[in-house]
Amino acid sequence: MPATTSAPWRRADAQVLVEDLAEPVLDRDAAHHLGRVLRLRDGATVCATDGGGGWVACRFDGADAVEPLGPVSREIRPSPELAVGFALVKGHKPELVVQKLTELGIDRIVLFTARRSVVRWDDERSARNVERLQRVAAEACTQCRRLWLPKVATATLSSLLAEGAVIADAGGRPLGASDTAVLIGPEGGWDPSDLEEQGWVSGAEGRGPDRVGLGDNVLRAETAA
């Protein structure tokens, strides 16, 4: 159950994302969700958020509009910022991963292509899918009552490693509090060339990115993420 003492916005009957907290306007999908899916009645309390830490309690009119009940409040962004990158996976699994990472509080969700990735997106498909996954994140954000909408994007493996992300791999050290960016490999696991191509050298005397383990069992790619 949500803790409403430290997070008063969670006392609302529902939550929606809006562009302007001073004059919140529901889009068609949000109005349909409140009125037809949740079946909220006239007078229900709805939390409107801008996805950037701001929120305001509103009264729902039972149809397609909300009216602010008080001033806009702003919360401090949680720190540190947490990021998870995962290699592209098949089917609807990216939606599942984005949904769950949003619910768990991840701030930045990044998709990349690895050597063993079965799925590969061209520029047009990548833009279309990132837009779709950002909508998935928005829906999950309101469902779990987050005030901070995570950013969904694509990146290259080399850029993520250059930022200091650690990679999840069997035999790695335990995940620690300082590991704020973790990369999950593809369904077939990491290929040695994934790291060698980025300038890393494998072997006992070589160098490479820090590796962390996620438990004793072999996990599916989406489960690991």
Side-chain angles (χ1 to χ4, degrees):
M1 296 296 289
T4 57
T5 302
S6 58
W9 62 89
R10 292 189 175 133
R11 289 197 291 264
D13 297 309
Q15 182 168 302
V16 293
L17 277 164
V18 299
E19 294 185 2
D20 186 353
L21 292 176
E23 297 182 6
V25 176
L26 299 178
D27 61 28
R28 183 175 60 182
D29 290 340
H32 174 80
H33 184 71
L34 295 179
R36 297 298 182 87
V37 178
L38 298 181
R39 299 183 181 277
L40 297 185
R41 302 300 183 186
D42 183 6
T45 302
V46 172
C47 169
T49 178
D50 58 6
W55 66 280
V56 61
C58 299
R59 174 186 173 277
F60 180 52
D61 70 353
D64 58 5
V66 291
E67 178 185 359
L69 296 174
V72 173
S73 299
R74 293 209 166 268
E75 304 298 320
I76 298 175
R77 177 185 285 276
S79 180
E81 181 179 278
L82 302 177
V84 171
F86 68 98
L88 294 176
V89 286
K90 296 178 291 187
H92 296 292
K93 293 176 182 178
E95 295 182 6
L96 173 68
V97 173
V98 169
Q99 181 187 69
K100 299 311 173 187
L101 289 178
T102 300
E103 293 176 8
L104 291 171
I106 299 302
D107 302 292
R108 183 179 172 217
I109 304 170
V110 188
L111 298 90
F112 63 89
T113 301
R115 174 58 64 89
R116 291 176 177 167
S117 296
V118 175
V119 179
R120 296 179 183 274
W121 295 342
D122 57 26
D123 290 345
E124 181 180 352
R125 188 178 180 189
S126 177
R128 185 170 63 250
N129 283 327
V130 166
E131 183 179 356
R132 174 176 56 84
L133 291 174
Q134 190 67 67
R135 291 196 299 270
V136 171
E139 293 170 0
C141 187
T142 57
Q143 184 276 327
C144 70
R145 308 299 180 91
R146 280 186 63 172
L147 296 181
W148 297 93
L149 179 64
K151 175 66 175 178
V152 181
T154 57
T156 62
L157 179 57
S158 59
S159 67
L160 295 169
L161 291 172
E163 292 176 9
V166 300
I167 67 169
D169 200 13
R173 63 169 175 78
L175 190 66
S178 62
D179 300 317
T180 58
V182 182
L183 306 182
I184 308 299
E187 293 172 312
W190 294 105
D191 187 284
S193 63
D194 279 323
L195 306 181
E196 292 169 359
E197 288 178 357
Q198 313 307 327
W200 302 108
V201 180
S202 59
E205 297 181 358
R207 60 189 179 87
D210 206 356
R211 301 170 185 262
V212 296
L214 300 181
D216 297 329
N217 299 329
V218 176
L219 304 177
R220 293 181 181 273
E222 66 272 20
T223 305

